[in-house]
Amino acid sequence: MFTLLLASCGVADDRIRITGSFKSIKQAECYIYSPEGVFPGLDTLKIENGDFEDERPLAKSTPLTLLFPNFSELPIIAEPGEEIKVKGNAGHLSATEITGTEENELLTDFRLHNLKKSASDIQMAAAPRPSEIAKKESPTVTMTVRVSRLIKSKRIRRA
């Protein structure tokens, strides 16, 4: 009953809710942590029947990281008053979709667009040339400019 009430209510302005659904997994544990130390240590997220839910206090926007049993990491931008939705396949975590805020959707688009590219190609995509910025040649350029701004503002860290 409590879960039903929680799901039907919006997220309070000083909290973050993260919900997730993974195919190809019934039960597991993953971890969530704040690289900037907003939350101390690691917290466990229990995945049951492929789903998980976490809600916690959050005073300001901050990057969070989901850490999976195979040591794969997935960055999330947490914003107070928002619900972040994570959806993917446990066998292909790099293709996981994260929605709920514009920043997470931009990061997902960027990650999915660069999924099969080499690390050097990804770095080049994250740092567009000034001529590309001025021309606004494609949606990819616009997205990478926004990701670069997030990195420069230290809202996300470059790997």
Side-chain angles (χ1 to χ4, degrees), residues 3 6 12 14-15 17 22 25 30 33-34 53 56 58 69 82 95 101 113 116 122 125 132 144 148 150 153 156:
T3 304
L6 182 64
D14 62 345
R15 299 186 66 79
R17 182 182 301 150
F22 287 100
I25 192 167
C30 63
Y33 69 94
S34 168
E53 183 170 333
R56 61 185 61 232
L58 184 68
E82 299 293 336
T101 65
H113 177 77
K116 296 184 180 183
I122 293 170
E132 293 173 326
T144 57
S148 295
L150 288 171
S153 70
I156 61 172

Side-chain angles (χ1 to χ4, degrees), residues 11-158:
V11 181
D13 289 343
D14 62 345
R15 299 186 66 79
I16 179 71
R17 182 182 301 150
I18 303 169
T19 59
S21 178
F22 287 100
K23 293 180 182 178
S24 304
I25 192 167
K26 291 289 181 199
Q27 197 169 4
E29 289 183 352
C30 63
Y31 301 96
I32 188 167
Y33 69 94
S34 168
E36 295 183 353
V38 173
F39 308 119
L42 294 171
D43 277 345
T44 303
L45 297 178
K46 293 188 185 285
I47 300 172
E48 295 181 13
N49 296 316
D51 299 325
F52 72 87
E53 183 170 333
D54 182 65
E55 187 169 323
R56 61 185 61 232
L58 184 68
K60 64 178 185 167
S61 296
T62 189
L64 298 177
T65 301
L66 291 179
L67 176 64
F68 295 93
N70 67 355
F71 297 104
S72 293
E73 294 184 335
L74 198 58
I76 294 175
I77 305 298
E79 296 182 30
E82 299 293 336
E83 179 175 356
I84 307 299
K85 297 178 182 176
V86 180
K87 184 178 179 182
N89 186 318
H92 197 52
L93 293 172
S94 58
T96 301
E97 292 184 27
I98 303 170
T99 59
T101 65
E102 184 179 5
E103 283 83 3
N104 284 298
E105 290 167 9
L106 286 169
L107 283 172
T108 295
D109 290 345
F110 181 77
R111 189 171 24 81
L112 295 177
H113 177 77
N114 291 295
L115 197 57
K116 296 184 180 183
K117 292 184 178 182
S118 69
S120 61
D121 287 343
I122 293 170
Q123 287 178 340
M124 288 178 66
R129 295 182 197 106
S131 61
E132 293 173 326
I133 295 169
K135 292 179 186 177
K136 294 185 180 178
E137 294 176 344
S138 71
T140 302
V141 172
T142 302
M143 178 194 48
T144 57
V145 169
R146 296 197 71 183
V147 170
S148 295
R149 286 182 187 150
L150 288 171
I151 291 169
K152 287 178 183 174
S153 70
K154 297 183 181 177
R155 289 178 68 188
I156 61 172
R157 282 193 203 161
R158 190 177 282 212

